[in-house]
């Protein structure tokens, strides 16, 4: 198998961190997204949606979407459990993972898509929407700061994929000048802790 990915893309980093936490090594096939390699054949023959990352199995099966790739490896190697242990725990982790995706990672990614020159020739940008998404991201970071006042990690007392998604989103915020404000001490404490894990360097 091999993982088609672009080093700078946040969803690719999400999978790399997940694999590092699992101790799984997968060969990397770099994809040049700056030159839109992902938007033409042969890449689009395997993934018509053109996104990265994409996992290509030895039999030619291709799995796109970062969380789907993580789910595949979670099922192959359940330990350490990054997506929950039992039905209730799995539901809670999925709830928080989805919240981090929609409320933290997505608005920051939208701010990038709508305002950064990288996407100028790729989509019709609406800069005002990008600025609104920055403000929304900061509001949701304030909400997450309060949530983290009562627990160590996003989904509870154990590191999970929800922490990975939140970390990737917040770190990507630097590209659009969205950073953790000084007054968000709980979020800053959490961020320092998860950033110190070896997997964060993946």
């Amino acid at each position: 198998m091999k993982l088609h990915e672009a080093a700078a893309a946040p969803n690719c980093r999400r999978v790399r961190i997940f694999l590092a936490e699992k101790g799984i090594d997968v060969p990397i096939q770099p994809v040049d997204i700056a030159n839109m390699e992902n938007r033409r054949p042969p890449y689009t023959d395997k993934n018509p949606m053109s996104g990265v990352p994409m996992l290509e199995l030895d039999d030619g099966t291709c799995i796109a979407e970062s969380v789907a790739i993580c789910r595949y490896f979670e099922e192959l190697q359940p330990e350490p459990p990054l997506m929950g242990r039992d039905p209730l725990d799995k539901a809670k982790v999925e709830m928080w993972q989805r919240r981090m995706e929609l409320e933290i990672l997505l608005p920051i990614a939208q701010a990038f898509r709508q305002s950064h020159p990288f996407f100028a020739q790729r989509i019709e940008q609406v800069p005002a929407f990008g600025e609104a998404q920055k403000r929304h991201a900061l509001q949701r970071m304030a909400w997450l700061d309060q949530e983290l006042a009562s627990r160590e990690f996003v989904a509870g007392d154990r590191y999970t994929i929800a922490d990975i998604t939140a970390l990737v989103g917040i770190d990507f915020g630097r590209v659009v000048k969205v950073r953790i404000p000084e007054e968000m001490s709980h979020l800053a404490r959490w961020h320092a802790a998860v950033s110190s894990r070896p997997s964060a360097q993946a």
Side-chain angles (χ1 to χ4, degrees):
M1 69 174 71
K2 57 185 173 181
L3 183 67
H4 299 258
E5 66 118 63
N11 279 319
C12 295
R13 185 182 179 217
R14 185 151 53 152
V15 172
R16 291 198 308 272
I17 293 174
F18 191 94
L19 291 173
E21 287 284 337
K22 291 281 188 182
I24 298 173
D25 185 33
V26 178
I28 298 294
Q29 177 64 51
V31 179
D32 186 355
I33 59 174
N35 288 311
M36 295 192 277
E37 179 185 351
N38 59 309
R39 292 175 176 257
R40 60 179 182 266
Y43 191 86
T44 52
D45 293 336
K46 298 176 180 180
N47 181 10
M49 297 299 289
S50 77
V52 287
M54 177 183 70
L55 180 67
E56 184 175 1
L57 304 183
D58 293 340
D59 67 358
T61 299
C62 292
I63 303 170
E65 307 302 333
S66 55
V67 177
I69 294 169
C70 291
R71 170 58 68 188
Y72 177 76
F73 286 109
E74 180 85 351
E75 297 300 321
L76 284 181
Q77 184 175 305
E79 295 294 332
L82 298 176
M83 302 182 87
R85 290 189 180 277
D86 55 43
L88 178 58
D89 189 39
K90 288 178 180 179
K92 287 182 176 180
V93 171
E94 176 60 24
M95 175 180 74
W96 282 103
Q97 137 62 25
R98 190 66 171 146
R99 287 174 173 174
M100 294 304 98
E101 197 166 54
L102 294 175
E103 305 296 337
I104 301 295
L105 178 56
L106 181 59
I108 289 171
Q110 288 284 35
F112 176 73
R113 288 172 62 86
Q114 298 297 330
S115 64
H116 198 277
F118 181 85
F119 270 98
Q121 303 303 317
R122 290 170 166 81
I123 65 170
E124 181 181 351
Q125 292 180 307
V126 183
F129 179 61
E131 290 301 315
Q133 287 296 285
K134 290 182 189 180
R135 295 190 295 271
H136 179 67
L138 285 168
Q139 292 169 357
R140 304 319 285 155
M141 286 164 65
W143 157 73
L144 182 57
D145 176 67
Q146 292 306 304
E147 289 288 337
L148 288 167
S150 61
R151 58 185 183 274
E152 186 175 1
F153 297 107
V154 170
D157 60 1
R158 191 179 71 254
Y159 182 91
T160 69
I161 190 174
D163 297 285
I164 296 173
T165 299
L167 173 65
V168 167
I170 288 171
D171 283 353
F172 194 59
R174 290 182 297 220
V175 179
V176 289
K177 297 182 173 59
V178 173
R179 296 178 176 86
I180 300 174
E182 290 184 6
E183 65 269 19
M184 296 185 192
S185 58
H186 306 299
L187 186 58
R189 180 268 308 159
W190 164 87
H191 184 263
V194 296
S195 296
S196 70
R197 299 173 75 93
S199 64
Q201 305 307 312

